[in-house]
Amino acid sequence: MAEQADVMELAKRRGFFFGSNEAYGGVAGFYTFGPQGAALKRNVEAAWRDQFTVKLGNDEIEAPTIMPEPVFEASGHLDGFDDMLVECAECGESHRADHLVEDAIEGIEDAEALGIEAVADLIAEHDLACPACDAALAGEPVEDFNLMFETAIGPGSGQPGYLRPETAQGIFVEFPRLKEYARGQLPFGVTQIGPAYRNEISPRRGIIRVREFTQAELEQFIDPEADEPPIDEVADVAVTLYPAPEQEADDGGYVETTIGEAVADGTIASPWVGYFLGVAQAWYERVGIDTDRFRFRQHRSGERAHYASDCWDAEAEISGNWIEIAGFAYRGDYDLSKHAEHSGDRFTVFKRYDEPKTIEAATVDPDMATLGPEFGADAGDVADALASLAKHDPAAFDADTVTVEVDGDSYTVDSDVANFSIEERTESGEHITPHVIEPSFGVGRTVYALIEHAYATDAVDGETRAYLSLVPEIAPTDVAVFPLVSDDRLVELANEIASSLRHEGVSVAYDDSGSIGRRYRRQDEIGTAFCVTVDRDGIEGDGDATVTVRERDTAEQVRVPVPSLSAELSALFDPESDRTFADLRAAYGAVETTVTTDSS
Amino acid sequence: MAEQADVMELAKRRGFFFGSNEAYGGVAGFYTFGPQGAALKRNVEAAWRDQFTVKLGNDEIEAPTIMPEPVFEASGHLDGFDDMLVECAECGESHRADHLVEDAIEGIEDAEALGIEAVADLIAEHDLACPACDAALAGEPVEDFNLMFETAIGPGSGQPGYLRPETAQGIFVEFPRLKEYARGQLPFGVTQIGPAYRNEISPRRGIIRVREFTQAELEQFIDPEADEPPIDEVADVAVTLYPAPEQEADDGGYVETTIGEAVADGTIASPWVGYFLGVAQAWYERVGIDTDRFRFRQHRSGERAHYASDCWDAEAEISGNWIEIAGFAYRGDYDLSKHAEHSGDRFTVFKRYDEPKTIEAATVDPDMATLGPEFGADAGDVADALASLAKHDPAAFDADTVTVEVDGDSYTVDSDVANFSIEERTESGEHITPHVIEPSFGVGRTVYALIEHAYATDAVDGETRAYLSLVPEIAPTDVAVFPLVSDDRLVELANEIASSLRHEGVSVAYDDSGSIGRRYRRQDEIGTAFCVTVDRDGIEGDGDATVTVRERDTAEQVRVPVPSLSAELSALFDPESDRTFADLRAAYGAVETTVTTDSS
C-alpha cells in the first residue's frame, strides 16, 4: 500500500499540490494545486459534470462564494456550524476539544455528541495537556467556535457576509428563480462546482481537512408523493455497503449487494438515495477509484442531522483510514422551508391536480356590532377564536350557541352572531414544498484518493520506479513527446508531433532535458499514459519516419510510423474504441525493455 | 444596437445571470450565473485555457482565494488598493467621492489622481449632495477605503487573511516552486482562472462592476535580456489601436494597423505586450466579439502603475460605453522583487552563462591588531570603508597609504595594513529576477460583452424575435430536440435522438412544452445554433424516419434522415469541417418558413 508520506512527497515534487504561501511560512489548511494537480482536478470536475449534470439532464449554476448573513440564519449555519474549541492559556494554541478527548481516552469515538460540558469535564478528569506545549488544559473553557469565515460587505456600516460553508446554499436561496427555469416542473436537479470554506480550528491530515476546498453538489428537487427515480438504470450496480446496524453489531461487516436488492430489502431506505449511490459507484469506477478500498457507509442515527431521513457517505481508504469523500442525504423539505420562513419568499412549486378539486371551506363573519359591546377589548380575540373553530370543528356551529376559549376564559355567543357558512371553491392544484436529495462530493479529497489509489511501484531495467496508474480521462497529461538528443532534425520532428497532437485537443508535455530514463520516470510519476520518443533510428532510411511509443504501466515500447501516430493515439484514448496497446504491439512489434513488477 | 435593459431582461429571464440573494432583498455587487450563463462562462474559460494555457504551452495552477496578510504587504495592496470614500452623515450611505466629483463637475475625468484633500475641497466648493438623500456632503471626511475583503484565519488569536483582489498573487507567491516545475528555464508562463474580489464602495452598472468576479490571468516570466516573443506568429493580425498620444491629441483617433507594424514603429513599446495583443485579438474573434466594437487602448502615463513600462487595455463597447475587459501590462521585476524583499525567499532563476566567466574580485583583510589601537571604536567602520573602497576603486591601494572617510572624518592607513588582494573566481552564471508580462482577462465582463454583441432582433413569420448569434464554441447549448406533439412515438424518438447526441458529447436541451414557435424563440434567445423537431411527417412512410433541423440565425429548416443526423450535426460543429447549413439545404432541401431580417 502507498505510504502517505511517499504520495505527499511525489505530489509536491511533481506539481500536484503543496502547502500555500510557503515563502511566508505557510498557513495551515490552504493548498495550491500545481500544474499537474490542477489539470487532474479539472478532469475530475469535467467527469463529474458529464455524469451528474449532462447525462442526468440537470442544470449547473455558479453562485458567489460570499453570501449575506440572513442566508445562514435561515440555513442554521450561524447558530449550529460550530466545533468545540479549547485554547491553551500557556502557549495560546487552539485545539479541537472533542479531538483531544477522542485521541486520549479509550472508547470515546464521537465526543462532539457528548456536549461541551461533558468534554470540559473529561479534559479535567483525565488531566489532558496541550499537544503543543504540554501545559495542563483542565479548567480552560471549552467553547463553540463558528466555522464560517466572516467578512464585511461594503464600507462602514456595511453588512456582515460569510464565505459559504457549502455550495448548496447558493442553489437553495435561488430556488424561486431556478424553478422558473425548470418551468415549475418537478423533478429537476441543479448542480454547482466551486469553492467552499470551513475555518477549521486546527487543520490536520494534509490535504484531507483543509480550510478552503472545492465541492461538487447536486440538489435534486422532487415531489415526494409522485416522483420516483429511474432505479432500474442502476439496479444491477454492485456496491459494498456498511449499513448502520452492521456498524453497531458486535460481529457486523460489509454487505456485498446490488442497488436493486438493497433498495428492495430496505437496507437503503430511500430509493432516491439508492439511485444516486448507484450512479456514484459507476462514476467512481470510471475515474479510477480502487473498489477494494471504497465503500458506502450509512450514518448512524446519532450522526445524522435531525431533518435527514437517510444519509450515506462514500468513503475511500486513504493511508489506512476510511475518509468521507462524498455524502448522499435525503434532506426532506428542510432547506426550502427554512428559506421560505426566513425570507418570506415562496419556495414552492404549484402542483396541478389531474382534475380540479372542489374544496369546502368553513368560514365565519362575526357580527362585531354585537360582539364589541358584549366583550369589549376581547371582542377581536373572540372573533379570531370563532374563525379558528370553524376550520377545525365546523360541526360546533350546528348548535344554537358556540363556546370558545381565549386565554383560559370561556366566551359563549349565539351561533347566528358568528355568521357561519360553508363555501365551495374549485382548486386546480396546490403549492407544495419539494423535497431535496443531495449528493455532495469533495473534489480535493477525491483527487487525493485517486492519486493514492493509482500510486504503484515496480522495477524497470533494474531500477525501482514509482508511477501513477491513472485512467486516461483524468490523467493530467495524455502524451509526452521527447526528442532523444538535441539534434535539429529530431527536435523539429518532435515539435511537429507535439504541435499536431495539441491541435487535436490532446494534452501534450514536451520534454527535451535530462536522460531519457529520467524523462520516462518524470512522466510515470505524473501518470502520463504514453511517451513518444523521436530518435535517430526513426528518421534514417527511406520510408516514413517512425517514433517509439511507450506505455506507462508496462513500460513496453513499440515503434510506430509518424503518419499513423495521431490516429493510433486517438484510438487508444477513445472510450468507444477497442484498440489497446497490445494491438499496437501486434501491429508494429515490441522494442526491447526489461520490466519487473513488484507493485502492490 | 442592443439596449442594455433588453439584454439584462433576457439574461434574467433565460437564466444567464441575475442579482444574487433576491429572496433576502439582494446584495449589490453579487451575481449568480444561471444554467445558460454558467455554461457560456465555462465555454469562454475553456476557450481561454485552450489558447493561453494549452496552445502557448503554459502551466495552469489553482491557488486558494484566501491569502495571509504578508502577501498583500508585499504586493502593495494593503497600503495602496484603496478607493475614496465619503459617507453621508444624514442617511449613512457610502459613496465613491471621486465619482461624485466626476459626475457633478464638468471637465474632471480622473478625480482619483487629484488626491483626497482636493476631492474633499471640490465637494465643499461645489456643494455636492448625497445622491441617496440629498443632504449636503460638504465637510464630511473623504477617506481611503481598502477594497480587499478581510477575514480572520483560525480562532482567537488567528491571523488576518484577505480574499485575493487578483488571481496573480497566487502565482507570484509560489514562484520559488513554480520555477522548479519549469526546471528553472525561462521563458515560462503560468495561468490561473478563478474568483477574485473587490469590496466596491458602491457597485454600479449591473454585472460590469461587481464585488466578486472571475479572472483569467497569465503571468509570463522572461529573461529581459535574452527572451523574445515569437512575434512573427501574430505579425499579420489586424488590430484597432488607440495609443496614448492619440487620446491626448485634439484630433486623435484610432490607428488601424497590424501587430507587426505597431511593434516595428514603436506604437506598441514592448514586443511581448504586442505579441499578447495579437494572440488576444485572434482569440476575441474566435469567441465572437464584434470587432467593430472592440479596440486596444493604451494607458496614458497618469493611469499606469509606476512599475509598468507599457500597458494596454482590451476594451469592448457595451451599451455605448467603452469598458475594459482585459489588461496587458509589462510589469518588469516589480512583483517578484517585492516578494523576495518581504519574504526573504529567493524569487530568481539561475541564468547559466554560455561560457563560465572568470571574475576578478578585489578584497581586503585589514589587520585589526593595528587598526584597533589606532582608531579605537571607529576601527570596525574603517575596515568596512576599506572593503568598500577595494570594490569601487581598487587602484587606490597601489599607493603606499589609503585614505577613507567615515562619517565625514578622514582616516589614513598604510596600504599593507589593508592586506589588499585581487582574487579570481570562476562563475558559471548569475541569479536574475525575471520580468513579468501579464495578460489579465475579466471573464464576467467578456461574457457580458459577448452576449450584448450577439444580441439581434428580426421578424420571423411576421413576429419580432430576439436571438443571440453566439458562435457554437461558446453557446450554452449545442442542439435542442423537440417532439412536436406528445405522441408516444414522437417522444420516444426525440428521447433517443437527445440521448444519442448527449453520449457523443453534444450539449442538448430537450423541450416538450409549449407551442413549437415558443420553443424556437426560447432556444433563439439562449443562442442554440440548431433545433431538431420530431414530427409526424417524419415517422410516416416506409423509409428512414426524418426530422427537421432549424438554423438559429436564418430560421431556415431542412429535413434530415435520422441515421445521418449525428454525423451531420457533428460536421456543422467541427471547426475543421467545411460543412455548412447551406450544404444541408442543398443536400436535403429547405422546408418553408418566412424570415424578415431587421437585425442591427
Side-chain angles (χ1 to χ4, degrees):
Chain A
M1 198 178 63
E3 295 292 326
Q4 191 171 12
D6 294 338
V7 176
M8 294 297 280
E9 186 277 330
L10 183 147
K12 191 173 191 169
R13 181 165 46 83
R14 287 300 178 211
F16 284 96
F17 53 81
F18 49 85
S20 306
N21 308 299
E22 265 181 30
Y24 293 98
V27 186
F30 294 94
Y31 276 80
T32 295
F33 288 92
Q36 308 306 335
L40 175 54
K41 177 170 180 282
R42 282 198 308 278
N43 292 344
V44 168
E45 289 169 3
W48 192 90
R49 174 175 295 123
D50 177 64
Q51 178 57 59
F52 290 90
T53 306
V54 178
K55 288 220 168 65
L56 297 187
N58 293 321
D59 280 336
E60 180 172 347
I61 70 163
E62 188 180 318
T65 57
I66 299 176
M67 302 185 81
E69 188 162 81
V71 170
F72 300 111
E73 276 167 5
S75 72
H77 285 94
L78 203 59
D79 275 343
F81 191 58
D82 301 315
D83 271 347
M84 289 186 194
L85 170 68
V86 62
E87 204 174 309
C88 173
E90 195 69 24
C91 72
E93 194 79 12
S94 298
H95 306 284
R96 280 279 297 262
D98 50 335
H99 284 178
L100 292 184
V101 165
E102 289 164 13
D103 291 349
I105 307 171
E106 190 88 9
I108 297 188
E109 280 180 13
D110 186 9
E112 199 171 3
L114 302 174
I116 279 189
E117 283 181 34
V119 167
D121 290 348
L122 285 168
I123 288 174
E125 279 166 29
H126 288 77
D127 283 328
L128 298 191
C130 171
C133 77
D134 220 35
L137 290 173
E140 295 303 327
V142 174
E143 287 172 340
D144 274 334
F145 173 69
N146 192 289
L147 298 177
M148 287 196 292
F149 282 99
E150 187 176 357
T151 190
I153 302 170
S157 46
Q159 56 177 314
Y162 298 87
L163 289 167
R164 61 186 182 193
E166 54 181 22
T167 64
Q169 295 306 323
I171 297 174
F172 293 140
V173 81
E174 306 302 350
F175 181 83
R177 191 167 305 283
L178 296 174
K179 82 164 182 210
E180 284 177 25
Y181 299 148
R183 279 171 259 154
Q185 298 295 310
L186 293 174
F188 71 92
V190 180
T191 65
Q192 186 170 199
I193 301 175
Y197 302 82
R198 203 180 149 105
N199 198 6
E200 295 286 349
I201 291 172
S202 49
R204 49 183 191 175
R205 280 200 187 141
I207 200 168
I208 296 302
R209 185 168 289 280
V210 290
R211 285 170 163 154
E212 179 172 347
F213 48 97
T214 301
Q215 285 187 316
E217 296 194 300
L218 161 60
E219 308 305 327
Q220 175 74 47
F221 299 104
I222 63 158
D223 176 350
E225 293 186 356
D227 295 330
E228 298 286 343
I231 196 83
D232 289 349
E233 290 177 11
V234 295
D236 296 333
V237 173
V239 286
T240 299
L241 301 183
Y242 194 25
E246 295 293 327
Q247 296 167 51
E248 284 150 9
D250 285 340
D251 57 349
Y254 295 161
V255 178
E256 304 290 344
T257 181
T258 64
I259 292 294
E261 280 171 30
V263 169
D265 67 19
T267 307
I268 303 172
S270 153
W272 276 102
V273 169
Y275 171 69
F276 286 119
L277 295 187
V279 173
Q281 174 78 31
W283 182 80
Y284 280 115
E285 291 177 20
R286 161 179 167 180
V287 296
I289 208 81
D290 178 353
T291 51
D292 290 338
R293 288 184 269 172
F294 180 79
R295 70 186 186 188
F296 290 115
R297 187 181 69 78
Q298 188 177 28
H299 280 204
R300 296 186 305 275
S301 54
E303 285 178 272
R304 226 162 47 211
H306 63 90
Y307 48 80
S309 64
D310 197 11
C311 191
W312 292 74
D313 284 346
E315 295 186 332
E317 198 185 348
I318 297 177
S319 313
N321 297 305
W322 285 99
I323 304 288
E324 175 195 352
I325 59 174
F328 302 81
Y330 192 101
R331 301 178 61 88
D333 68 358
Y334 176 80
D335 308 282
L336 298 184
S337 296
K338 284 289 171 191
H339 281 300
E341 187 186 317
H342 283 255
S343 71
D345 210 334
R346 195 169 247 185
F347 284 71
T348 54
V349 298
F350 187 71
K351 181 180 178 180
R352 196 168 289 277
Y353 299 136
D354 294 337
E355 299 276 314
K357 282 186 189 169
T358 301
I359 309 282
E360 292 194 341
T363 61
V364 291
D365 182 15
D367 179 0
M368 297 310 284
T370 307
L371 293 190
E374 198 165 344
F375 301 121
D378 296 329
D381 289 342
V382 171
D384 288 347
L386 288 169
S388 174
L389 183 66
K391 266 195 198 125
H392 298 110
D393 183 16
F397 292 84
D398 293 344
D400 289 343
T401 61
V402 285
T403 302
V404 292
E405 287 207 359
V406 173
D407 289 339
D409 294 326
S410 289
Y411 296 85
T412 300
V413 299
D414 287 351
S415 295
D416 291 351
V417 173
N419 275 323
F420 176 84
S421 67
I422 301 267
E423 284 175 7
E424 283 198 353
R425 227 174 32 241
T426 303
E427 293 188 345
S428 59
E430 63 185 316
H431 294 277
I432 64 164
T433 301
H435 282 202
V436 170
I437 302 95
E438 179 186 82
S440 169
F441 288 64
V443 176
R445 290 183 175 193
T446 304
V447 165
Y448 185 81
L450 292 176
I451 292 175
E452 197 178 295
H453 287 193
Y455 184 91
T457 53
D458 64 5
V460 174
D461 294 335
E463 275 183 45
T464 301
R465 66 159 184 164
Y467 64 99
L468 296 186
S469 186
L470 298 168
V471 302
E473 185 178 9
I474 69 149
T477 305
D478 298 328
V479 173
V481 178
F482 312 143
L484 186 63
V485 292
S486 53
D487 170 311
D488 282 354
R489 290 177 309 159
L490 300 188
V491 169
E492 196 182 322
L493 181 56
N495 271 314
E496 274 169 28
I497 289 171
S499 159
S500 79
L501 286 170
R502 275 189 191 128
H503 276 90
E504 296 216 2
V506 175
S507 148
V508 176
Y510 181 91
D511 188 355
D512 58 5
S513 88
S515 75
I516 192 71
R518 192 177 290 180
R519 283 184 260 175
Y520 282 143
R521 297 299 174 276
R522 203 179 274 147
Q523 297 303 325
D524 288 341
E525 289 190 332
I526 64 170
T528 305
F530 302 104
C531 292
V532 172
T533 300
V534 184
D535 58 3
R536 285 226 180 83
D537 289 354
I539 59 168
E540 276 160 11
D542 294 333
D544 287 328
T546 61
V547 293
T548 65
V549 176
R550 174 181 175 277
E551 193 199 32
R552 176 195 59 213
D553 294 5
T554 59
E556 283 187 349
Q557 295 179 43
V558 299
R559 185 168 285 282
V560 178
V562 172
S564 311
L565 186 66
S566 282
E568 288 290 9
L569 288 174
S570 299
L572 292 177
F573 287 119
D574 182 356
E576 301 198 355
S577 156
D578 292 334
R579 192 89 174 158
T580 65
F581 191 76
D583 296 327
L584 266 65
R585 200 173 45 216
Y588 304 107
V591 178
E592 269 308 294
T593 179
T594 316
V595 187
T596 325
T597 297
D598 68 13
S599 160
S600 63
Chain B
M1 199 180 62
E3 295 292 327
Q4 191 172 10
D6 294 339
V7 176
M8 294 296 281
E9 186 278 330
L10 183 148
K12 191 172 190 170
R13 180 163 48 81
R14 287 300 179 210
F16 284 96
F17 52 81
F18 50 84
S20 306
N21 308 299
E22 265 181 31
Y24 292 98
V27 185
F30 294 95
Y31 277 80
T32 294
F33 288 92
Q36 307 306 336
L40 175 53
K41 178 170 180 283
R42 281 198 307 278
N43 293 343
V44 169
E45 290 170 1
W48 192 91
R49 174 174 296 122
D50 177 63
Q51 178 57 61
F52 290 89
T53 306
V54 178
K55 289 222 167 63
L56 296 188
N58 293 322
D59 279 336
E60 180 172 346
I61 71 162
E62 188 180 318
T65 57
I66 299 177
M67 301 184 82
E69 188 162 80
V71 171
F72 301 110
E73 277 168 3
S75 72
H77 286 93
L78 202 60
D79 276 343
F81 190 56
D82 300 316
D83 272 348
M84 289 186 193
L85 169 69
V86 62
E87 204 174 308
C88 174
E90 195 69 26
C91 72
E93 193 81 12
S94 298
H95 306 283
R96 279 280 296 262
D98 51 334
H99 284 178
L100 292 182
V101 165
E102 288 164 13
D103 291 349
I105 308 171
E106 190 90 9
I108 296 189
E109 280 180 11
D110 186 9
E112 199 171 4
L114 302 175
I116 280 190
E117 282 180 32
V119 167
D121 290 348
L122 284 167
I123 288 175
E125 279 166 30
H126 289 78
D127 284 329
L128 299 191
C130 171
C133 75
D134 219 36
L137 291 172
E140 295 303 328
V142 174
E143 288 171 339
D144 275 335
F145 173 68
N146 192 289
L147 298 178
M148 287 195 294
F149 282 100
E150 188 177 357
T151 190
I153 303 171
S157 46
Q159 57 177 313
Y162 298 87
L163 289 167
R164 61 185 182 195
E166 55 182 20
T167 63
Q169 294 306 324
I171 297 174
F172 292 139
V173 80
E174 307 301 352
F175 181 83
R177 192 168 304 284
L178 296 174
K179 82 163 181 210
E180 284 178 25
Y181 300 149
R183 280 174 257 152
Q185 297 295 310
L186 293 173
F188 71 93
V190 180
T191 65
Q192 187 171 197
I193 302 176
Y197 303 82
R198 203 182 149 104
N199 197 4
E200 295 286 349
I201 291 171
S202 49
R204 52 182 190 175
R205 280 200 187 142
I207 201 168
I208 297 301
R209 185 168 287 281
V210 290
R211 286 171 162 152
E212 180 173 347
F213 49 98
T214 300
Q215 285 187 317
E217 296 194 300
L218 161 60
E219 309 304 326
Q220 176 74 48
F221 299 103
I222 63 157
D223 175 350
E225 294 187 355
D227 296 330
E228 298 287 343
I231 196 85
D232 289 349
E233 290 177 11
V234 295
D236 295 334
V237 173
V239 285
T240 299
L241 300 183
Y242 194 23
E246 294 292 327
Q247 297 167 50
E248 283 150 7
D250 286 342
D251 57 350
Y254 295 162
V255 178
E256 304 289 346
T257 182
T258 64
I259 293 294
E261 282 171 28
V263 169
D265 68 18
T267 307
I268 303 171
S270 154
W272 276 102
V273 169
Y275 171 68
F276 287 120
L277 295 187
V279 173
Q281 173 78 31
W283 183 80
Y284 280 116
E285 291 176 20
R286 161 180 167 180
V287 295
I289 208 81
D290 179 353
T291 50
D292 290 339
R293 288 184 269 174
F294 180 78
R295 70 184 185 189
F296 290 115
R297 187 181 69 78
Q298 188 176 28
H299 280 205
R300 296 186 304 277
S301 54
E303 284 178 273
R304 224 160 52 207
H306 63 92
Y307 48 80
S309 64
D310 198 11
C311 191
W312 292 74
D313 285 345
E315 295 187 332
E317 198 185 349
I318 297 177
S319 312
N321 297 305
W322 285 99
I323 304 290
E324 175 195 352
I325 59 175
F328 303 81
Y330 192 101
R331 301 177 60 88
D333 68 358
Y334 176 80
D335 307 283
L336 298 185
S337 295
K338 284 288 172 192
H339 282 299
E341 187 187 319
H342 284 255
S343 72
D345 209 334
R346 195 170 247 183
F347 285 71
T348 53
V349 297
F350 186 70
K351 181 181 178 181
R352 197 168 290 276
Y353 299 134
D354 293 337
E355 300 276 313
K357 282 186 191 168
T358 302
I359 309 282
E360 292 196 340
T363 60
V364 291
D365 181 17
D367 178 2
M368 297 309 285
T370 308
L371 293 189
E374 197 165 343
F375 302 120
D378 295 330
D381 289 342
V382 171
D384 289 347
L386 288 168
S388 175
L389 182 67
K391 266 195 198 124
H392 298 109
D393 183 16
F397 292 84
D398 292 344
D400 290 344
T401 61
V402 286
T403 302
V404 292
E405 287 206 359
V406 173
D407 290 339
D409 294 327
S410 290
Y411 298 85
T412 299
V413 299
D414 286 352
S415 295
D416 292 350
V417 172
N419 276 322
F420 175 84
S421 66
I422 301 268
E423 284 175 5
E424 285 199 349
R425 228 175 31 241
T426 302
E427 292 189 345
S428 59
E430 62 186 316
H431 293 277
I432 64 164
T433 302
H435 281 201
V436 170
I437 302 96
E438 179 186 83
S440 169
F441 288 63
V443 175
R445 289 183 176 192
T446 304
V447 165
Y448 185 81
L450 291 175
I451 292 175
E452 198 179 293
H453 286 194
Y455 184 92
T457 53
D458 63 6
V460 174
D461 295 335
E463 275 184 45
T464 300
R465 67 158 183 163
Y467 65 99
L468 296 186
S469 187
L470 298 168
V471 302
E473 186 179 8
I474 69 149
T477 304
D478 298 327
V479 174
V481 177
F482 312 143
L484 186 63
V485 291
S486 53
D487 171 310
D488 282 352
R489 290 177 309 159
L490 299 190
V491 169
E492 195 182 324
L493 181 56
N495 271 315
E496 274 170 27
I497 289 170
S499 157
S500 79
L501 286 170
R502 273 186 193 131
H503 275 89
E504 297 217 4
V506 174
S507 148
V508 177
Y510 181 90
D511 188 355
D512 57 6
S513 87
S515 77
I516 192 71
R518 191 175 290 181
R519 283 184 262 176
Y520 282 142
R521 298 296 175 277
R522 202 178 275 148
Q523 298 302 326
D524 288 341
E525 289 190 333
I526 63 170
T528 306
F530 302 103
C531 291
V532 172
T533 301
V534 184
D535 59 2
R536 286 227 178 80
D537 289 353
I539 59 167
E540 277 159 11
D542 293 334
D544 287 330
T546 61
V547 292
T548 65
V549 176
R550 174 181 175 276
E551 193 198 33
R552 176 195 59 214
D553 294 3
T554 59
E556 283 188 350
Q557 296 178 43
V558 299
R559 185 168 284 282
V560 178
V562 172
S564 311
L565 186 67
S566 282
E568 289 289 9
L569 288 175
S570 298
L572 292 177
F573 286 119
D574 182 355
E576 301 197 357
S577 157
D578 292 333
R579 192 91 175 157
T580 66
F581 191 76
D583 296 326
L584 267 65
R585 199 173 47 217
Y588 304 106
V591 178
E592 271 307 296
T593 179
T594 316
V595 186
T596 325
T597 296
D598 66 12
S599 161
S600 61

